């Protein structure tokens, strides 16, 4: 698959020919136009609408909705909640990101087992899962608001520091760490720009653009999915959904984006 | 989108709603509803597509404008706006020359509706894209532009 | 109330000075804890087993020196020397393979992910990070441009050997380089490394046009 | 049953601009699944838009229309408070109708 894509790029850029060779950024500019054209009418809105329905729907053994779930700003407050996550929650005595918090609420409010609540973390072709829709809905309710992740509780401090260690952790057959690709300014893989997640400006730009509707997959992808797929490309084993490491790394990245204006679900290639 | 402005008709497959839709004049004629020009959607070339739509040789026209990025970051979703200033435009179609079947979509433009459509199609590879206009007197006109398809990302 | 405020500020203060105040011991303890956390947070899938989280010396050392914390010269030299010792140069003394194969390897990023078929031919994905030929404009910039690699440096056997060693184990020449150790880690076979060397060093390769 | 559409209808000068997102796989019939078997075609074939009962747009689509389709068009004669209804039918015979009020 990817080999075919490579060939496609090679072939088209070759046929694009001299003009492109003289002005290599013009290809990048056209891709900017492409992204702008998709901005109006993001299919993520379909997930947001479905998520709002699921949020209010009575489900699970307790036949209850999630409406009383405390996402960090108090029970039932959805507006702005994503800007303070991940966060320490007293009831679970854990730092939780949005996805793990939803799992906790599905267990405590709706009576699902943790296994049931975590069973389908990501959607796929012909497979719609509640988690993607809930994430799309809840994050959309923080659009336009500033990221404001706090590390006041010792467990929040610890999660941030552990996330930082993980960010620089080199491993696997390729010796890759997150920092290999996301630790310096103005780098790119092929033609894809790489945010430097250790700087505030880039971290803000990157973190506030997830979740995203990926046109290549026709799905809304959550931040948990973003980390899952990064580690796949890092040649690491499979990241477990809402695992402590995934939450620690999210805490590190989310806090680095503080002050950035949240603008997702977005739309990406 | 403001949820309060949107009313959703539940159970749209039901006979009741179907009856409602019919009463509302949703169906232009008895079976117009199910009209889908299979022959046109099976064609591989512009000439064959026009033929399947009941026309002769189409003429190139500067009164048809295709707006799209010259390079698509992903062929799965390529945005297009097609607009026609051809007098008495009755329908507008979007065709992708190198797709397995050339015709992507065809729009009937009734009186009062602007000959202007914005939609998104799939492109298997870099290709010419054609906007095809049919006028009320059965004549066909077209314009085309090339769109290059890439796929970025980490690879592997 | 006042007391609580002071406690909270105390913690926040500790965070603010965080990295600077933390000694080697703290960082090491934190690293051990992070590894423990990771081991509990991944599971094996396909060819990607949990042993991929077991760091070798290079990975361990290079995880510590990041951001503004540069690797001390003596540590770097020790690391490079140890890595140089484990390069297996070709027994036949020939370093150049087929540059056309090398180009295919440079284009392909397939291999070693848990979604890849184990044992299937892998790529080097050189273009992901390097400019190599003028015909491929979709190149990355994590590594330097390698265009005209041989032409600039000269088509000598010493340079061929250096290129082989660099692709085989980059850490032997530049401690904590971001470049994978393609030969040492078994990502590419000896023949594949030779093919990539040919892409860089063969006068007829498009890299040198 | 298919998910609801998202319909936005608003005045753009003297015309009504309609923007619709539909939830649909738009499977081409050319893709293979992980086992190499062809995934059958499944796509919206007909779309009709009405304003106060009068057809303002009708379309025939092939499988080349992108997944989760987006469509925008403009028509004259509408005013705020009027209703716009959109109906799609796919090649399985599934239908969906949703309605929006012009803002």
């Amino acid at each position: 698959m990817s080999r075919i894509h490579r060939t496609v790029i090679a072939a088209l850029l070759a046929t694009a020919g001299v003009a492109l060779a003289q002005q290599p950024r013009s290809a990048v500019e056209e891709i900017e136009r492409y992204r702008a054209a998709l901005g109006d009418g993001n299919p993520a809105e379909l997930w947001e609408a479905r998520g709002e329905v699921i949020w209010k729907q009575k489900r699970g053994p307790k036949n209850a909705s999630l409406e009383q779930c405390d996402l960090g700003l108090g029970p039932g407050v959805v507006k702005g909640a994503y800007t303070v996550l991940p966060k320490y929650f007293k009831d679970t005595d854990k730092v939780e990101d949005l996805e793990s918090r939803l799992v906790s609420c599905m267990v405590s409010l709706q009576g699902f087992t943790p296994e049931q609540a975590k069973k389908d973390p990501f959607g796929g072709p012909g497979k719609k899962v509640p988690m993607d829709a809930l994430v799309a809905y809840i994050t959309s309710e923080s659009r336009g608001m500033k990221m404001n992740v706090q590390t006041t509780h010792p467990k929040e401090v610890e999660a941030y520091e552990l996330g930082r260690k993980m960010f620089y952790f080199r491993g696997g057959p390729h010796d890759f760490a997150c920092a290999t690709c996301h630790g310096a300014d103005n780098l790119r893989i092929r033609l894809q720009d790489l945010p430097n997640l250790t700087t505030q400006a880039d971290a803000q730009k990157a973190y506030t653009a997830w979740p995203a509707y990926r046109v290549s997959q026709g799905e809304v992808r959550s931040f948990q999915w973003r980390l899952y797929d990064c580690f796949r490309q890092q040649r690491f084993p499979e990241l477990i959904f809402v695992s402590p490491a995934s939450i620690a790394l999210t805490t590190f990245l989310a806090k680095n984006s503080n002050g950035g204006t949240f603008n997702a679900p977005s739309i990406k290639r | 989108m403001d949820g309060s402005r949107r009313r959703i008709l539940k159970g749209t497959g039901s006979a009741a709603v179907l009856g409602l839709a019919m009463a509302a004049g949703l169906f232009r004629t008895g079976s117009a509803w199910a009209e889908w020009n299979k022959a046109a959607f099976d064609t591989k070339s512009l000439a064959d597509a026009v033929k399947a739509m009941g026309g002769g040789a189409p003429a190139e026209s500067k009164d048809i404008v295709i707006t799209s990025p010259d390079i698509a970051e992903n062929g799965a979703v390529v945005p297009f706006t097609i607009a026609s200033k051809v007098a008495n435009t009755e329908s507008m179609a979007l065709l992708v020359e190198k797709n397995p079947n050339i015709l992507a979509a065809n729009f009937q433009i009734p009186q009062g509706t602007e000959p202007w459509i914005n939609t998104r199609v799939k492109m298997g590879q870099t290709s010419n894209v054609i906007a095809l206009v049919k006028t009320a007197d059965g004549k066909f006109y077209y314009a085309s532009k090339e769109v290059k398809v890439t796929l970025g990302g980490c690879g592997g | 109330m006042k007391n609580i405020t002071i406690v909270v500020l105390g913690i926040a203060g500790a965070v603010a000075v965080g990295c600077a105040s933390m000694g080697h011991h703290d960082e090491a303890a934190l690293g051990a804890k992070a590894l423990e956390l990771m081991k509990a947070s991944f599971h094996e899938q396909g060819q990607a087993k949990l042993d991929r989280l077991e760091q070798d010396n290079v990975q361990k050392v290079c995880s510590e020196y990041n951001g503004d914390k540069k690797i001390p010269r003596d540590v770097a030299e020790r690391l490079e020397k140890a890595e140089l010792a484990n390069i297996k140069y070709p027994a036949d003394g020939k370093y150049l393979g087929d540059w056309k194969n090398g180009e295919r390897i440079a284009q392909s990023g397939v291999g070693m992910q848990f979604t890849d078929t184990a044992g299937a031919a892998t790529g080097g994905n050189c273009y992901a990070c390097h400019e190599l030929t003028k015909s491929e404009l979709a190149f990355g910039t994590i590594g330097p441009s390698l265009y005209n690699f041989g032409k600039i440096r000269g088509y000598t056997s010493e340079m061929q050997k250096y290129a082989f060693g660099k692709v085989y184990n980059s850490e032997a020449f530049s401690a904590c380089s971001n470049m994978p150790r393609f030969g040492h880690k078994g990502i590419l076979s000896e023949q594949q490394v030779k093919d990539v060397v040919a892409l860089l060093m063969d006068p007829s390769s498009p890299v040198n046009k | 049953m298919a998910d609801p559409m998202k319909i936005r209808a608003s005045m753009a000068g003297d015309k009504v601009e309609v923007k619709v997102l539909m939830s649909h796989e738009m499977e081409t019939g050319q893709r293979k699944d992980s086992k190499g078997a062809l995934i059958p075609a499944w796509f919206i074939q007909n779309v009709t838009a009405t304003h106060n009962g009068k057809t303002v747009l009708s379309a025939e689509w092939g499988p080349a229309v992108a997944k989760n389709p987006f469509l925008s068009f403009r028509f004259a004669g509408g005013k705020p408070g009027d209703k716009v209804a959109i109906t799609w039918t796919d090649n399985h015979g599934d239908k969906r109708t949703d309605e929006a009020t012009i803002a």
Side-chain angles (χ1 to χ4, degrees):
Chain A
M1 188 72 176
S2 60
R3 248 173 306 185
I4 294 165
H5 289 145
R6 285 284 92 82
T7 316
V8 169
I9 300 182
L12 90 86
L13 287 171
T15 52
V18 188
L20 266 183
Q22 284 166 350
Q23 297 175 304
R25 292 306 289 189
S26 74
V28 174
E29 280 161 18
E30 277 303 317
I31 284 170
E32 286 301 325
R33 278 187 67 203
Y34 168 84
R35 290 174 188 165
L38 292 182
D40 190 16
N42 181 348
E45 286 184 28
L46 298 164
W47 272 252
E48 294 166 24
R50 194 160 57 86
E52 186 173 0
V53 171
I54 296 170
W55 175 255
K56 293 171 179 167
Q57 207 171 54
K58 290 184 169 137
R59 299 167 68 233
K62 291 187 182 171
N63 195 36
S65 80
L66 286 168
E67 285 165 298
Q68 284 309 303
C69 180
D70 179 359
L71 296 170
L73 296 177
V77 181
V78 177
K79 196 93 203 154
Y82 195 64
T83 62
V84 302
L85 292 171
K87 184 183 185 304
Y88 172 78
F89 287 88
K90 215 171 172 179
D91 58 345
T92 54
D93 191 30
K94 278 180 190 156
V95 174
E96 299 188 281
D97 64 352
L98 174 59
E99 291 90 326
S100 59
R101 189 60 193 164
L102 284 169
V103 166
S104 295
C105 286
M106 285 178 196
V107 171
S108 63
L109 297 175
Q110 299 183 312
F112 288 112
T113 65
E115 292 68 33
Q116 286 168 334
K118 287 188 267 192
K119 197 168 79 70
D120 290 307
F122 314 125
K127 181 183 165 192
K128 289 174 182 161
V129 300
M131 187 57 76
D132 286 343
L134 287 167
V135 166
Y137 163 59
I138 292 159
T139 57
S140 75
E141 291 288 310
S142 289
R143 198 185 291 278
M145 301 171 78
K146 284 200 177 357
M147 289 302 301
N148 185 25
V149 176
Q150 298 301 312
T151 45
T152 44
H153 191 279
K155 289 204 177 182
E156 292 168 342
V157 176
E158 187 184 42
Y160 180 88
E161 289 298 319
L162 290 170
R164 179 175 62 81
K165 286 307 266 189
M166 285 179 59
F167 184 81
Y168 293 107
F169 181 94
R170 294 182 67 158
H174 286 57
D175 303 335
F176 286 156
C178 305
T180 307
C181 292
H182 296 291
D185 289 338
N186 300 318
L187 298 182
R188 49 172 229 243
I189 284 183
R190 292 278 183 165
L191 288 175
Q192 195 73 30
D193 291 324
L194 298 165
N196 178 356
L197 298 176
T198 65
T199 66
Q200 194 186 36
D202 273 16
Q204 285 176 344
K205 214 172 129 199
Y207 191 81
T208 58
W210 286 92
Y213 180 79
R214 290 294 291 264
V215 301
S216 52
Q217 301 167 12
E219 299 290 336
V220 167
R221 295 309 194 187
S222 60
F223 201 72
Q224 278 280 334
W225 178 89
R226 177 60 281 176
L227 293 183
Y228 174 91
D229 207 52
C230 270
F231 279 117
R232 180 181 66 84
Q233 292 173 314
Q234 254 175 268
R235 274 80 177 174
F236 276 39
E238 190 174 31
L239 183 66
I240 298 170
F241 182 62
V242 300
S243 56
S246 71
I247 294 164
L249 189 52
T250 302
T251 305
F252 174 70
L253 298 170
K255 195 185 177 203
N256 289 351
S257 80
N258 269 358
T261 302
F262 188 72
N263 190 26
S266 67
I267 185 163
K268 290 173 184 282
R269 67 182 169 80
Chain B
M1 195 170 297
D2 186 349
S4 65
R5 289 206 304 268
R6 191 188 69 234
R7 212 186 89 222
I8 292 156
L9 300 181
K10 301 260 181 202
T12 49
S14 73
V17 172
L18 206 62
L20 198 73
M22 279 175 161
L26 216 57
F27 300 161
R28 283 171 298 169
T29 61
S31 66
W33 176 257
E35 262 179 24
W36 190 73
N37 192 341
K38 184 177 186 303
F41 280 103
D42 283 344
T43 59
K44 314 274 181 202
S45 71
L46 175 63
D48 287 351
V50 174
K51 215 160 115 188
M53 293 177 188
E60 200 159 354
S61 168
K62 286 196 165 59
D63 290 332
I64 304 167
V65 178
I66 305 172
T67 309
S68 76
D70 296 344
I71 300 179
E73 196 174 14
N74 195 294
V77 180
V78 190
F80 287 97
T81 300
I82 51 175
S84 167
K85 288 198 178 99
V86 178
N88 300 315
T89 293
E90 187 187 81
S91 74
M92 302 168 75
L94 192 61
L95 301 90
V96 182
E97 209 168 69
K98 289 197 181 158
N99 273 3
N101 298 302
I102 190 166
L103 180 59
N106 191 17
F107 300 87
Q108 301 294 324
I109 313 289
Q111 283 285 324
T113 296
E114 198 179 324
W116 180 96
I117 293 287
N118 178 357
T119 193
R120 298 166 184 173
V121 300
K122 299 174 192 126
M123 293 180 65
Q125 57 183 304
T126 295
S127 169
N128 274 327
V129 174
I130 301 162
L132 177 69
V133 165
K134 183 193 177 193
T135 60
D137 57 358
K139 292 209 170 71
F140 283 82
Y141 300 91
Y142 75 96
S144 72
K145 79 167 274 187
E146 189 187 52
V147 174
K148 298 177 178 71
V149 175
T150 65
L151 198 131
C154 295
Chain C
M1 191 60 202
K2 220 169 199 171
N3 284 346
I4 293 168
T5 314
I6 288 162
V7 171
V8 170
L9 279 178
I11 295 166
V15 177
V17 286
C19 308
S21 74
M22 258 183 215
H24 279 293
H25 180 71
D26 291 341
E27 280 290 304
L30 200 59
K33 180 118 202 222
L35 180 58
E36 190 189 319
L37 200 69
M38 289 175 81
K39 283 181 175 167
S41 298
F42 286 85
H43 54 209
E44 65 172 59
Q45 181 63 259
Q47 60 180 303
K49 311 293 183 201
L50 283 179
D51 62 6
R52 291 193 177 183
L53 299 175
E54 301 290 348
Q55 292 178 308
D56 66 14
N57 185 50
V58 166
Q59 293 172 338
K60 226 175 258 166
V61 171
C62 297
S63 296
E64 289 310 312
Y65 298 101
N66 55 63
D68 295 331
K69 201 172 154 196
K70 298 279 173 256
I71 185 167
R73 195 54 241 167
D74 60 323
V75 178
E77 274 167 13
R78 274 202 304 278
L79 189 145
E80 286 167 6
K81 202 175 158 203
E83 292 303 299
L84 195 61
N86 66 35
I87 297 178
K88 290 191 187 69
Y89 288 99
D92 61 6
K94 295 193 174 77
Y95 301 109
L96 291 198
D98 176 356
W99 70 260
K100 284 179 186 142
N101 261 335
E103 168 71 10
R104 277 191 284 275
I105 292 162
Q107 289 282 2
S108 168
V110 171
M112 299 260 175
Q113 297 178 3
F114 60 70
T115 43
D116 289 323
T117 310
T122 56
N125 215 9
C126 313
Y127 281 107
C129 300
H130 295 283
E131 179 184 32
L132 285 146
T133 60
K134 282 294 165 193
S135 61
E136 179 56 276
L137 292 176
F139 58 83
T141 59
I142 296 174
S145 170
L146 302 176
Y147 179 62
N148 278 352
F149 184 92
K151 198 174 177 180
I152 291 165
R153 291 167 181 78
Y155 303 110
T156 61
S157 61
E158 289 77 19
M159 194 47 67
Q160 289 179 3
K161 186 180 178 187
Y162 165 74
F164 184 95
K166 180 77 185 176
V167 175
Y168 192 96
N169 189 342
S170 59
E171 302 293 339
F173 305 91
S174 171
C176 300
S177 159
N178 280 329
M179 182 167 151
R181 293 168 283 173
F182 289 100
H184 178 60
K185 286 287 194 170
I187 301 164
L188 299 177
S189 68
E190 182 185 283
Q191 185 56 48
Q192 283 182 305
V193 175
K194 285 182 174 185
D195 292 341
V196 173
V197 172
L199 181 67
L200 295 170
M201 289 297 295
D202 192 319
S204 59
S205 158
V207 166
N208 296 315
K209 293 295 167 194
Chain D
M1 199 181 73
D3 283 333
M5 290 174 235
K6 292 285 282 186
I7 307 172
R8 210 184 259 130
S10 56
M11 299 305 296
D14 58 345
K15 293 205 167 114
V16 178
E17 183 167 85
V18 182
K19 292 176 183 178
V20 198
L21 279 164
M22 307 173 191
S23 177
H24 206 283
E25 288 291 325
M26 299 302 286
E27 192 60 63
T28 59
Q30 317 238 356
R31 285 197 322 131
K32 286 177 178 163
D33 64 17
S34 53
K35 292 177 187 108
L38 215 56
I39 304 169
W42 179 30
F43 59 98
I44 293 173
Q45 286 187 313
N46 290 92
V47 179
T48 307
T50 60
H51 163 241
N52 290 344
K54 174 185 172 281
T55 298
V56 288
L57 188 78
S58 61
E60 295 167 70
W61 285 359
V65 171
K67 181 175 175 177
N68 297 317
F70 173 77
L71 169 66
S72 178
F73 62 96
R74 298 165 184 158
F75 67 89
K79 59 180 188 308
D82 288 359
K83 298 266 196 282
V84 174
I86 316 266
T87 299
W88 59 250
T89 314
D90 69 19
N91 67 326
H92 289 177
D94 285 339
K95 281 187 177 68
R96 168 105 218 161
T97 298
D98 293 286
E99 200 176 65
T101 302
I102 299 168

